[in-house]
Amino acid sequence: MAHDQIRQMVNFILQEAHEKANEIRVKTEHDFNLEKQTLVHEAKLAIQDEFAKKEKDREIQDRIARSAEIGECRVKKMKVRDDLLQTLLSEAGAKCAMVARGQNYPHLLQKLIVQGLIKIDEEECTIYCRGEDVKTVEKILPDAMEEYVAIMERESGVKLSPKVKLNDNRDKDLPDSTYGGVKLTAAAGKIVCDNTMSARLTLVYDELLPSIRAIIFPEQ
């Protein structure tokens, strides 16, 4: 009888142990599956975040590359336009050089000297020209001074007696790149009136540049 009771107690304890062990196993598997699901979900989110970051970085790099390409194209376009404008200016300079070889050039030189004297408005001044124009300037200078005095007397009622001389230092003659014309200086070179063909061309070019651009490069 006592032996049977002991066996029943042992069986009960074993049964309880099995049930407890099974309960622990079920709970452990549940916790494990739950943790696994959490880890998998977090890993998916991390992957998605990393993909989104890389995609955003790629879009930024694409925009930077496109911007750089557009900027490079604009620079090339501006260079081509500038080269064309410089070619146009050079061709205009060549036309000025042709004018300086024409038969009306002495008359033009006289008008440039008179205009320069009016602009510089000094009693004493020195005229500079190209070496090849020295003889021409020497020839027309008296007529230019006479014309200048007459204009000033007519406009102001005062008859001037300007002292105008031609530069006698051939090393200081104007270069051929001026295409002709004259440069007048006064007050020991502190006052300058550049009335060379190149200076006049540059002045006209700068004034007309917006119109020139509009004609050559019309907006699409």
Side-chain angles (χ1 to χ4, degrees):
M1 185 70 174
H3 180 73
D4 290 339
Q5 288 179 348
I6 291 173
R7 187 176 57 192
Q8 287 178 358
M9 290 178 63
V10 169
N11 289 337
F12 176 77
I13 292 171
L14 290 175
Q15 181 66 29
E16 286 292 322
H18 283 302
E19 290 180 357
K20 193 65 175 177
N22 187 58
E23 180 181 338
I24 292 172
R25 181 183 58 79
V26 170
K27 186 176 184 307
T28 301
E29 289 181 355
H30 176 268
D31 291 344
F32 171 77
N33 290 330
L34 183 61
E35 182 68 18
K36 183 177 70 173
Q37 290 177 1
T38 301
L39 292 175
V40 170
H41 180 68
E42 289 177 351
K44 286 182 178 180
L45 291 178
I47 293 173
Q48 290 175 355
D49 289 343
E50 182 67 19
F51 178 80
K53 182 178 181 299
K54 289 183 177 180
E55 184 67 16
K56 185 176 181 180
D57 290 343
R58 185 187 63 80
E59 291 177 356
I60 292 174
Q61 293 301 320
D62 288 345
R63 286 198 295 268
I64 292 174
R66 284 196 299 270
S67 178
E69 185 177 355
I70 292 173
E72 185 178 353
C73 289
R74 286 177 177 172
V75 170
K76 289 181 179 179
K77 183 178 180 180
M78 290 174 63
K79 186 179 185 306
V80 170
R81 289 187 173 189
D82 185 63
D83 290 344
L84 182 56
L85 289 172
Q86 290 303 314
T87 299
L88 179 64
L89 187 58
S90 296
E91 292 177 353
K95 295 289 180 65
C96 289
M98 291 178 61
V99 170
R101 294 192 293 269
Q103 61 181 3
N104 293 325
Y105 181 56
H107 177 71
L108 175 61
L109 267 180
Q110 180 175 328
K111 295 300 181 183
L112 290 173
I113 292 173
V114 172
Q115 186 183 59
L117 290 171
I118 294 173
K119 284 185 175 181
I120 207 166
D121 192 24
E122 290 290 326
E123 184 178 352
E124 296 182 8
C125 69
T126 302
I127 297 177
Y128 294 83
C129 64
R130 298 182 303 171
E132 61 187 280
D133 293 335
V134 170
K135 290 183 179 180
T136 303
V137 173
E138 287 176 340
K139 183 178 179 180
I140 65 173
L141 186 55
D143 291 337
M145 290 179 62
E146 184 179 345
E147 183 180 350
Y148 164 67
V149 170
I151 291 174
M152 298 304 291
E153 185 177 8
R154 184 176 66 247
E155 296 298 326
S156 66
V158 178
K159 187 169 184 178
L160 303 176
S161 298
K163 296 178 182 179
V164 181
K165 69 174 184 176
L166 178 62
N167 163 55
D168 55 8
N169 184 348
R170 298 282 71 84
D171 291 335
K172 293 184 178 181
D173 286 342
L174 300 180
D176 292 337
S177 59
T178 59
Y179 307 124
V182 292
K183 179 183 291 185
L184 294 83
T185 67
K190 295 179 181 178
I191 302 175
V192 178
C193 175
D194 191 345
N195 229 12
T196 59
M197 300 284 276
S198 60
R200 300 298 295 270
L201 175 60
T202 300
L203 179 63
V204 172
Y205 174 78
D206 290 341
E207 289 179 352
L208 295 179
L209 186 56
S211 299
I212 294 173
R213 288 184 181 276
I215 293 172
I216 300 179
F217 313 116
E219 294 295 333
Q220 299 296 328

